[in-house]
PDB file of all heavy atoms in Angstrom:
ATOM      1  N   ALA A 489      -8.045  -3.976  17.366  1.00 87.00           N
ATOM      2  CA  ALA A 489      -6.719  -3.401  17.551  1.00 87.00           C
ATOM      3  C   ALA A 489      -5.671  -4.477  17.292  1.00 87.00           C
ATOM      4  O   ALA A 489      -5.517  -5.371  18.122  1.00 87.00           O
ATOM      5  CB  ALA A 489      -6.557  -2.804  18.935  1.00 87.00           C
ATOM      6  N   ASP A 490      -5.009  -4.405  16.147  1.00 86.00           N
ATOM      7  CA  ASP A 490      -4.015  -5.423  15.758  1.00 86.00           C
ATOM      8  C   ASP A 490      -2.629  -4.908  16.162  1.00 86.00           C
ATOM      9  O   ASP A 490      -2.024  -4.077  15.511  1.00 86.00           O
ATOM     10  CB  ASP A 490      -4.075  -5.642  14.245  1.00 86.00           C
ATOM     11  CG  ASP A 490      -3.191  -6.790  13.798  1.00 86.00           C
ATOM     12  OD1 ASP A 490      -2.565  -7.434  14.682  1.00 86.00           O
ATOM     13  OD2 ASP A 490      -3.104  -7.023  12.592  1.00 86.00           O
ATOM     14  N   GLU A 491      -2.137  -5.451  17.267  1.00 83.00           N
ATOM     15  CA  GLU A 491      -0.838  -5.049  17.801  1.00 83.00           C
ATOM     16  C   GLU A 491      -0.716  -3.552  17.874  1.00 83.00           C
ATOM     17  O   GLU A 491       0.219  -2.920  17.356  1.00 83.00           O
ATOM     18  CB  GLU A 491       0.296  -5.622  16.870  1.00 83.00           C
ATOM     19  CG  GLU A 491       0.309  -7.118  16.740  1.00 83.00           C
ATOM     20  CD  GLU A 491       0.987  -7.797  17.958  1.00 83.00           C
ATOM     21  OE1 GLU A 491       1.477  -7.099  18.816  1.00 83.00           O
ATOM     22  OE2 GLU A 491       0.932  -9.026  17.961  1.00 83.00           O
ATOM     23  N   PRO A 492      -1.612  -2.876  18.582  1.00 81.00           N
ATOM     24  CA  PRO A 492      -1.586  -1.397  18.574  1.00 81.00           C
ATOM     25  C   PRO A 492      -0.434  -0.795  19.336  1.00 81.00           C
ATOM     26  O   PRO A 492      -0.184   0.436  19.221  1.00 81.00           O
ATOM     27  CB  PRO A 492      -2.921  -1.046  19.245  1.00 81.00           C
ATOM     28  CG  PRO A 492      -3.202  -2.181  20.154  1.00 81.00           C
ATOM     29  CD  PRO A 492      -2.676  -3.399  19.468  1.00 81.00           C
ATOM     30  N   THR A 493       0.298  -1.576  20.151  1.00 75.00           N
ATOM     31  CA  THR A 493       1.345  -0.985  20.972  1.00 75.00           C
ATOM     32  C   THR A 493       2.730  -1.535  20.651  1.00 75.00           C
ATOM     33  O   THR A 493       3.712  -1.229  21.327  1.00 75.00           O
ATOM     34  CB  THR A 493       1.063  -1.298  22.480  1.00 75.00           C
ATOM     35  OG1 THR A 493       1.002  -2.726  22.681  1.00 75.00           O
ATOM     36  CG2 THR A 493      -0.256  -0.685  22.895  1.00 75.00           C
ATOM     37  N   THR A 494       2.851  -2.272  19.537  1.00 69.00           N
ATOM     38  CA  THR A 494       4.124  -2.945  19.226  1.00 69.00           C
ATOM     39  C   THR A 494       5.224  -1.911  18.964  1.00 69.00           C
ATOM     40  O   THR A 494       6.369  -2.091  19.403  1.00 69.00           O
ATOM     41  CB  THR A 494       3.954  -3.856  18.000  1.00 69.00           C
ATOM     42  OG1 THR A 494       3.052  -4.868  18.313  1.00 69.00           O
ATOM     43  CG2 THR A 494       5.272  -4.442  17.608  1.00 69.00           C
ATOM     44  N   ALA A 495       4.935  -0.859  18.219  1.00 62.00           N
ATOM     45  CA  ALA A 495       5.969   0.119  17.820  1.00 62.00           C
ATOM     46  C   ALA A 495       6.166   1.218  18.845  1.00 62.00           C
ATOM     47  O   ALA A 495       6.877   2.185  18.556  1.00 62.00           O
ATOM     48  CB  ALA A 495       5.604   0.712  16.466  1.00 62.00           C
ATOM     49  N   LEU A 496       5.585   1.105  20.038  1.00 68.00           N
ATOM     50  CA  LEU A 496       5.593   2.186  21.029  1.00 68.00           C
ATOM     51  C   LEU A 496       6.401   1.813  22.260  1.00 68.00           C
ATOM     52  O   LEU A 496       6.541   0.617  22.566  1.00 68.00           O
ATOM     53  CB  LEU A 496       4.162   2.535  21.413  1.00 68.00           C
ATOM     54  CG  LEU A 496       3.165   2.810  20.287  1.00 68.00           C
ATOM     55  CD1 LEU A 496       1.781   3.070  20.850  1.00 68.00           C
ATOM     56  CD2 LEU A 496       3.626   3.961  19.418  1.00 68.00           C
ATOM     57  N   ASP A 497       6.920   2.809  22.951  1.00 73.00           N
ATOM     58  CA  ASP A 497       7.628   2.537  24.184  1.00 73.00           C
ATOM     59  C   ASP A 497       6.648   2.208  25.272  1.00 73.00           C
ATOM     60  O   ASP A 497       5.415   2.393  25.130  1.00 73.00           O
ATOM     61  CB  ASP A 497       8.566   3.687  24.553  1.00 73.00           C
ATOM     62  CG  ASP A 497       7.782   4.993  24.784  1.00 73.00           C
ATOM     63  OD1 ASP A 497       6.888   5.012  25.621  1.00 73.00           O
ATOM     64  OD2 ASP A 497       8.084   5.965  24.041  1.00 73.00           O
ATOM     65  N   VAL A 498       7.189   1.777  26.438  1.00 75.00           N
ATOM     66  CA  VAL A 498       6.297   1.250  27.524  1.00 75.00           C
ATOM     67  C   VAL A 498       5.329   2.307  27.998  1.00 75.00           C
ATOM     68  O   VAL A 498       4.172   2.055  28.239  1.00 75.00           O
ATOM     69  CB  VAL A 498       7.185   0.696  28.653  1.00 75.00           C
ATOM     70  CG1 VAL A 498       6.300   0.229  29.798  1.00 75.00           C
ATOM     71  CG2 VAL A 498       8.057  -0.445  28.146  1.00 75.00           C
ATOM     72  N   THR A 499       5.819   3.552  28.165  1.00 74.00           N
ATOM     73  CA  THR A 499       4.960   4.611  28.689  1.00 74.00           C
ATOM     74  C   THR A 499       3.797   4.898  27.738  1.00 74.00           C
ATOM     75  O   THR A 499       2.629   5.000  28.175  1.00 74.00           O
ATOM     76  CB  THR A 499       5.774   5.876  28.920  1.00 74.00           C
ATOM     77  OG1 THR A 499       6.876   5.588  29.813  1.00 74.00           O
ATOM     78  CG2 THR A 499       4.918   6.970  29.510  1.00 74.00           C
ATOM     79  N   VAL A 500       4.101   4.998  26.459  1.00 74.00           N
ATOM     80  CA  VAL A 500       3.041   5.285  25.470  1.00 74.00           C
ATOM     81  C   VAL A 500       2.125   4.071  25.342  1.00 74.00           C
ATOM     82  O   VAL A 500       0.943   4.235  25.137  1.00 74.00           O
ATOM     83  CB  VAL A 500       3.689   5.683  24.136  1.00 74.00           C
ATOM     84  CG1 VAL A 500       2.622   5.963  23.091  1.00 74.00           C
ATOM     85  CG2 VAL A 500       4.606   6.886  24.263  1.00 74.00           C
ATOM     86  N   GLN A 501       2.675   2.883  25.436  1.00 77.00           N
ATOM     87  CA  GLN A 501       1.828   1.681  25.409  1.00 77.00           C
ATOM     88  C   GLN A 501       0.730   1.776  26.509  1.00 77.00           C
ATOM     89  O   GLN A 501      -0.447   1.514  26.233  1.00 77.00           O
ATOM     90  CB  GLN A 501       2.668   0.429  25.680  1.00 77.00           C
ATOM     91  CG  GLN A 501       3.479  -0.021  24.480  1.00 77.00           C
ATOM     92  CD  GLN A 501       4.225  -1.315  24.779  1.00 77.00           C
ATOM     93  OE1 GLN A 501       3.803  -2.080  25.652  1.00 77.00           O
ATOM     94  NE2 GLN A 501       5.289  -1.576  24.053  1.00 77.00           N
ATOM     95  N   ARG A 502       1.119   2.165  27.693  1.00 81.00           N
ATOM     96  CA  ARG A 502       0.186   2.258  28.773  1.00 81.00           C
ATOM     97  C   ARG A 502      -0.890   3.286  28.488  1.00 81.00           C
ATOM     98  O   ARG A 502      -2.080   3.102  28.764  1.00 81.00           O
ATOM     99  CB  ARG A 502       0.945   2.589  30.064  1.00 81.00           C
ATOM    100  CG  ARG A 502       0.051   2.534  31.336  1.00 81.00           C
ATOM    101  CD  ARG A 502       0.908   2.721  32.587  1.00 81.00           C
ATOM    102  NE  ARG A 502       0.110   2.579  33.790  1.00 81.00           N
ATOM    103  CZ  ARG A 502      -0.180   1.444  34.378  1.00 81.00           C
ATOM    104  NH1 ARG A 502       0.223   0.320  33.831  1.00 81.00           N
ATOM    105  NH2 ARG A 502      -0.915   1.401  35.444  1.00 81.00           N
TER     106      ARG A 502
END
Side-chain angles (χ1 to χ4, degrees):
D490 187 3
E491 300 281 356
T493 60
T494 296
L496 308 177
D497 59 59
V498 177
T499 304
V500 180
Q501 284 184 23
R502 187 173 184 84

